[in-house]
Amino acid sequence: RLAFNMFQPITLSSSSSYRVRSCIASNAGRSGRLFSAVANPRRMDGSRSLNSTSRICVRNVDYPEALLFDCDGVLVDTEAEGHRVAFNEAFARKGLDHTWGLEQYGVLLETGGGKERMDAYFKTCADVEPYMSLQDEASRKAFLKEMHELKTDIFNELIESGKLPVRPGVVRLINEAIDAGVKVAVCSTSNERAVSNIVRVLLGERIAERMQVFAGDCVPKKKPSPDIYNLAAETLGVSPGRCVVIEDSKIGLAAGKAAGMRVVVTESYYTGGEDFAAADVVFTEIGDNFGIDDLTTPGSFWLNPPQQG
């Protein structure tokens, strides 16, 4: 965990100094950290004045208004052994001779959204099934919808099996946010049913009751478009500039930044090594690297981002 330097003296003049300590207080129903400053004026000879003590309290930092999580790769590292496996099983059940390998799927992930991903892939091999027999856009769209529903059923079976563990630190951070009065939500390009199932089954009842899900086709343009984050901010009634996004990919990072939000990247199986220069902070995982207290603004977390060794 990061430690804020809360004990720097504030010098008002050559004859007065203030010792500053931090305190936790509540303002308009929202938790926030305040500085409480105790005045101890000293004469030049070092002695204290008799009527020396007064106290002031000014707001220093605030928690974010909302903490917005991507799902796949952030809450659960689902891509390699979750979604990829489910896509391949769906292809097999439909008698299609397509299998997405580990490295191949990493490239396919550059296209956001499952239906969009299948469409982009099948267009590269349109001389074989299924697109060989599906020549018009309407029939292809209907096929993709059917395929994605089947894939989602298979993926939900994997979730229910408990074979997809939650990433380290996720549950702790969400619970800290809830305890601090910070709104929490998931913003994902994945199917809404699948995302809701992950939240319900893997994150627990307390979080599921409080965590709103924005997913699937709730917006016309998917990441890297900022639409889903804009929708979340509007629906939750929060300022984009007071939101913190947790993402794992460059398209998710681009979406969060385009919405005017701070973005913390936690790298996943497929995204380690991507260009995250635009991110505010980059970690390999949430783990014990940071908590809700570190995401206050302003703060050294943003002004002097920690570096992982």
Side-chain angles (χ1 to χ4, degrees):
R1 296 289 291 275
L2 300 174
F4 288 97
N5 186 0
M6 294 297 196
F7 299 94
Q8 294 179 343
I10 302 175
T11 302
L12 299 183
S13 69
S14 61
S15 60
S16 299
S17 66
Y18 280 64
R19 292 200 311 273
V20 181
R21 66 179 178 83
S22 64
C23 62
I24 301 296
S26 204
N27 180 31
R30 181 177 293 115
S31 297
R33 188 176 291 152
L34 298 169
F35 271 165
S36 175
V38 181
N40 295 277
R42 294 177 183 268
R43 299 187 178 92
M44 293 300 290
D45 62 3
S47 63
R48 298 180 188 274
S49 61
L50 295 178
N51 55 351
S52 63
T53 303
S54 62
R55 184 181 297 270
I56 59 173
C57 216
V58 293
R59 176 166 294 281
N60 178 54
V61 288
D62 286 298
Y63 289 123
E65 291 183 350
L67 196 55
L68 308 178
F69 293 81
D70 179 38
C71 181
D72 301 307
V74 173
L75 300 180
V76 185
D77 209 344
T78 53
E79 299 293 7
E81 302 306 326
H83 288 293
R84 184 185 68 88
V85 170
F87 275 118
N88 286 339
E89 177 62 21
F91 298 156
R93 291 187 189 182
K94 287 294 185 179
L96 299 174
D97 189 21
H98 298 280
T99 303
W100 288 348
L102 277 169
E103 298 305 316
Q104 180 185 20
Y105 192 66
V107 176
L108 292 169
L109 283 173
E110 294 179 7
T111 301
K115 294 190 290 295
E116 292 82 358
R117 190 171 305 135
M118 284 190 290
D119 182 51
Y121 167 75
F122 288 136
K123 282 179 177 176
T124 67
C125 50
D127 57 336
V128 298
E129 297 297 348
Y131 273 16
M132 184 174 68
S133 299
L134 302 171
Q135 296 295 320
D136 61 280
E137 286 300 315
S139 60
R140 289 181 176 183
K141 185 175 181 179
F143 167 78
L144 292 171
K145 184 175 184 295
E146 179 185 352
M147 281 296 298
H148 199 253
E149 288 176 351
L150 173 59
K151 175 260 174 184
T152 299
D153 289 338
I154 297 168
F155 181 71
N156 279 326
E157 292 171 7
L158 290 172
I159 295 171
E160 296 284 355
S161 73
K163 294 179 181 179
L164 301 174
V166 177
R167 294 197 69 191
V170 167
V171 172
R172 173 190 58 77
L173 179 60
I174 297 174
N175 276 319
E176 286 180 3
I178 292 171
D179 291 342
V182 177
K183 296 179 180 180
V184 292
V186 183
C187 297
S188 173
T189 59
S190 292
N191 177 274
E192 190 276 336
R193 181 160 56 98
V195 175
S196 295
N197 206 27
I198 285 175
V199 172
R200 179 184 61 83
V201 174
L202 301 181
L203 300 186
E205 183 178 348
R206 180 179 190 252
I207 290 175
E209 289 176 350
R210 295 164 174 82
M211 195 167 210
Q212 191 158 343
V213 172
F214 301 90
D217 297 321
C218 64
V219 290
K221 294 181 181 179
K222 297 185 177 179
K223 301 173 186 178
S225 166
D227 289 10
I228 196 163
Y229 286 119
N230 291 336
L231 174 64
E234 181 180 353
T235 304
L236 296 174
V238 297
S239 168
R242 296 289 307 283
C243 294
V244 174
V245 168
I246 314 293
E247 273 283 358
D248 75 308
S249 68
K250 61 184 180 182
I251 63 172
L253 166 60
K257 280 298 180 182
M261 301 176 180
R262 295 182 188 271
V263 180
V264 177
V265 168
T266 56
E267 297 173 319
S268 60
Y269 179 88
Y270 281 117
T271 65
E274 287 188 1
D275 181 7
F276 294 127
D280 292 281
V281 193
V282 180
F283 290 107
T284 55
E285 61 181 22
I286 294 173
D288 292 324
N289 287 309
F290 63 94
I292 193 64
D293 288 343
D294 299 315
L295 302 182
T296 53
T297 53
S300 63
F301 190 84
W302 308 116
L303 302 176
N304 184 25
Q307 300 295 321
Q308 287 194 317

